[in-house]
Amino acid sequence: MIRRLFIANRGEIALRIIRTARRLGMTAILGASEADRDGLPARAADEVAIVGPAPSAESYLSAGRLVAAAVAARADAVHPGYGFLSEKADFARAVRAAGMIFVGPDAESLDAMGDKLMARHVAVAAGLAVIPGGEAADRQAAGARAAETGYPLLLKAVAGGGGRGMKRVDDPAALDAAVDLAMAEARAAFGDPRLYVERFVARGRHVEVQILGDGTRAIHLGTRDCSIQRRFQKLVEEAPAPGLPVAAHEALCAAAVRLARHIGYGGAGTVEFLVDAESFDFWFLEMNARIQVEHPVTEAVTGVDLIEQQLLIADGQPLGLRQDQVAITGHAIEVRINAEDWARDFRPSPGRVRRAAWPAGPGIRVDSHVAAGSLVTPHYDSLIGKLIVSAADRAGAVARLAAALDVLDVDGVATTVGLHRAIARDPRFMAGGADTRFFEGMAHG
Amino acid sequence: MSGADLPLSPEDVAGIVAILDGSAYDRIEIRTARFTLKVAREAGGWTQEWATAADPAPVAAPEKQGESAESEGESVGEGFAVRAPLPGTFYRAPQPGAPPFVEIGDTVAPDSVVGIVETMKLMNPVYAGAHGTLAAILIDNAAPVEADAILMRVAPAA
């Protein structure tokens, strides 16, 4: 049994993990940077170990310092939270080499899912569909790939990211010119002209499946929809994914469980899919081998504490839940409140919080480490809290979200609350099932 | 430390609201060794406010002098001051190991990128803000900077 749990993370997820660890009778030890030594999570923890100065590279991203601090604190397990080192196989290995439990899957699963190309191969081997596509080194190869994927298609730089070298092609006649241009851009930006040719899904939704596995068995806890994003950053998440036909919902969940079983997955994980908003065809995108920011919406509709499940699995216990014991009840929505000035191109807004009045009441959960007097530092990401609402159905949850956002008052830093108020009243959001183009379709200003 | 010091769970807060909602009370304040929680009735619903018990009264954020954060540079005695647009970490190069954006003596234009300030994992470009020659670099690479800190000076073109 884990008795002394070291939390190698910060912010709201650290507080979230402390909560469950304490409820289970564990001693919660927070590994905090100098900047976080006096925050709400530090006050809630049983013990605090300073791991390093404020910059992440010398604290939350330093495997050596974290492991040393956990050993010095006589921890018997390390929970990595999300982000930072949570999916780094080397960190998992270092924790285990020091004789402690890593609360997450084995290093082999982290290796398999950490590399996008390898994850794609593993998913194919498990029988999952992936977006048709592949590498192309020249015009001729791109033409051959295009014959497989069909149109419209997307040309991406193999080496790239950030949209450079990326071209949408709707018509075979335009392919050669687009390939030339994309290769030139890819060479200029990354020194590598190779392209990746991929089917373009015009109206795609981002739907993911929460899974739990103990290395032998695996179950799912239903879907989440995270289609409302800005520049691939999720803004709103909900469970279950709205408007999915039952057959599509079941097929997605079955595919996720198949992948988890195929790799003998041990822990909590999320399998992400791109779902065609019209045909409901779906393709594997990636698997996140950790707890997710949006896990509370799944907790709200299943009643399962996912952190508790992580800790039990890490402790070597067989899965205590059977698939038929997991029922999805009602609907839940989470919005991420970030310290960003959304009216000024989401400019970061670090600073001192003067007032933090979060909503409260039935069907409302707030996961936040920020209170009056808290300093939101420029060293870490801008998430200052998550508002999670739940109700018997989606319309009830949307109404509750709008009302809760109206009383939410954080003063001292700019926040994305105003954006979320606009989303909660957007007819496309109220209708449910918006695709990933939702944000660009919002009337700005 | 005793378990009583843990912040109340979301379920606890919902329970407190349910009790208050059926009463004539508009607010309640709960204090433990490490925390205070204030639950209050607002026009459209209920709010929860947390504070750590040992904290002094919330510190007022330092008032910004005008909208100086808007202007990334301004004229001062010995040339044009290039200022940090945001608090964060100042970098002189786009990536570790890459050559710096500018060196002393380089000619710059108002929209020349002369550095970046990393804030909340976002890279924010720093622009020279004036035509001229880079005269001084006042902040080391990878050093923390406050908003409006003077990073460099530009000698204006004649």
Side-chain angles (χ1 to χ4, degrees):
Chain A
M1 182 64 196
I2 298 170
R3 305 177 67 89
R4 295 177 61 79
L5 179 69
F6 185 91
I7 295 142
N9 213 299
R10 64 175 305 279
E12 66 87 18
I13 194 63
L15 192 54
R16 167 72 191 85
I17 296 163
I18 290 167
R19 223 185 262 292
T20 290
R22 300 266 320 241
R23 187 170 58 72
L24 298 177
M26 299 173 187
T27 299
I29 308 156
L30 182 72
S33 75
E34 296 282 359
D36 288 329
R37 67 185 311 154
D38 203 33
L40 230 45
R43 301 295 184 96
D46 294 290
E47 298 171 23
V48 178
I50 301 299
V51 295
S56 308
E58 296 165 65
S59 50
Y60 301 111
L61 287 173
S62 170
R65 285 176 187 240
L66 289 165
V67 170
V71 168
R74 293 175 293 110
D76 46 25
V78 174
H79 195 306
Y82 54 64
F84 294 126
L85 298 177
S86 59
E87 292 179 280
K88 297 282 186 242
D90 287 347
F91 181 56
R93 289 193 180 96
V95 167
R96 288 182 178 129
M100 297 177 288
I101 293 170
F102 178 76
V103 182
D106 56 33
E108 291 67 39
S109 291
L110 290 171
D111 277 334
M113 291 301 140
D115 178 288
K116 297 233 167 173
L117 224 50
M118 200 197 293
R120 193 178 152 97
H121 289 309
V122 172
V124 169
L128 275 65
V130 295
I131 297 186
E135 276 186 40
D138 54 33
R139 273 187 182 188
Q140 198 181 352
R145 289 292 185 192
E148 296 163 21
T149 63
Y151 293 84
L153 58 79
L154 216 50
L155 302 175
K156 296 174 169 178
V158 167
R164 281 190 291 186
M166 203 186 281
K167 297 267 173 274
R168 177 182 161 171
V169 186
D170 294 327
D171 179 356
L175 183 66
D176 281 353
V179 166
D180 289 348
L181 200 57
M183 283 192 166
E185 278 188 26
R187 185 184 285 111
F190 310 109
D192 178 352
R194 286 177 306 145
L195 298 181
Y196 195 90
V197 183
E198 185 178 281
R199 160 91 60 85
F200 176 73
V201 178
R203 287 198 56 215
R205 285 170 59 180
H206 177 115
V207 178
E208 58 190 32
V209 178
Q210 176 70 53
I211 57 112
L212 288 174
D214 61 10
T216 310
R217 296 173 50 232
I219 62 169
H220 70 79
L221 282 78
T223 53
R224 292 188 289 258
D225 192 313
C226 313
S227 299
I228 298 183
Q229 308 182 351
R230 172 183 173 268
R231 295 185 186 168
F232 304 107
Q233 300 296 309
K234 295 168 184 171
L235 296 168
V236 181
E237 301 106 344
E238 52 187 302
L244 280 190
V246 174
H249 187 273
E250 286 177 354
L252 280 160
C253 293
V257 168
R258 205 157 60 235
L259 178 60
R261 287 197 183 128
H262 179 78
I263 60 174
Y265 191 79
T270 298
V271 185
E272 298 190 342
F273 297 95
L274 178 65
V275 177
D276 188 306
E278 278 149 20
S279 69
F280 300 106
D281 291 339
F282 61 84
W283 301 274
F284 168 82
L285 287 177
E286 62 180 319
M287 179 171 183
N288 296 313
R290 53 168 164 83
I291 195 74
Q292 303 251 130
V293 176
E294 59 270 27
H295 77 276
V297 290
T298 297
E299 294 184 328
V301 297
T302 61
V304 175
D305 180 333
L306 288 169
I307 303 291
E308 177 178 1
Q309 293 298 316
Q310 284 191 297
L311 292 169
L312 294 175
I313 294 165
D315 205 36
Q317 302 186 27
L319 216 48
L321 283 169
R322 290 193 318 266
Q323 189 66 63
D324 61 10
Q325 290 173 314
V326 178
I328 311 290
T329 308
H331 197 91
I333 305 172
E334 172 182 287
V335 297
R336 300 188 186 191
I337 310 297
N338 293 338
E340 292 168 11
D341 189 346
W342 71 281
R344 292 168 69 193
D345 199 30
F346 293 80
R347 182 189 171 100
S349 179
R352 181 79 66 179
V353 173
R354 277 190 289 258
R355 181 175 189 233
W358 298 99
I364 294 174
R365 164 176 169 182
V366 174
D367 282 14
S368 171
H369 58 292
V370 167
S374 293
L375 186 65
V376 180
T377 86
H379 295 290
Y380 312 115
D381 70 27
S382 60
L383 182 69
I384 59 169
K386 308 184 304 203
L387 166 63
I388 304 104
V389 298
S390 55
D393 57 24
R394 187 172 188 277
V398 171
R400 183 162 274 163
L401 175 66
L405 286 165
D406 282 347
V407 299
L408 200 168
D409 181 19
V410 173
D411 188 24
V413 296
T415 73
T416 50
V417 171
L419 169 68
H420 287 300
R421 286 184 186 137
I423 291 174
R425 287 173 173 81
D426 188 304
R428 296 171 304 150
F429 176 70
M430 294 174 78
D435 62 60
T436 51
R437 298 172 309 169
F438 177 91
F439 183 79
E440 56 190 81
M442 277 188 84
H444 295 293
Chain B
M1 282 292 159
S2 79
D5 284 314
L6 195 64
L8 296 168
S9 72
E11 294 75 30
D12 295 333
V13 176
I16 291 167
V17 169
I19 293 167
L20 288 179
D21 211 26
S23 78
Y25 294 102
D26 284 334
R27 55 184 284 166
I28 189 170
E29 221 169 295
I30 294 167
R31 198 175 288 267
T32 71
R34 295 194 208 176
F35 296 98
T36 62
L37 166 65
K38 185 174 86 181
V39 175
R41 194 192 301 264
E42 306 275 341
W46 292 86
T47 58
Q48 52 178 318
E49 284 185 72
W50 292 90
T52 46
D55 279 353
V59 185
E63 294 302 320
K64 291 232 167 79
Q65 281 114 33
E67 271 293 271
S68 51
E70 258 308 73
S71 60
E72 285 161 3
E74 64 192 65
S75 292
V76 291
E78 32 188 322
F80 192 87
V82 182
R83 293 175 184 264
L86 289 161
T89 307
F90 172 64
Y91 294 103
R92 288 192 52 208
Q95 276 142 39
F101 290 103
V102 286
E103 297 284 5
I104 289 174
D106 283 1
T107 302
V108 295
D111 60 355
S112 300
V113 173
V114 295
I116 47 181
V117 172
E118 181 187 1
T119 303
M120 295 175 154
K121 301 207 289 194
L122 285 176
M123 300 297 174
N124 304 280
V126 179
Y127 299 102
H131 284 286
T133 309
L134 195 70
I137 298 169
L138 307 169
I139 304 282
D140 289 338
N141 187 53
V145 292
E146 297 294 327
D148 289 339
I150 299 177
L151 306 171
M152 301 179 180
R153 289 189 189 280
V154 174

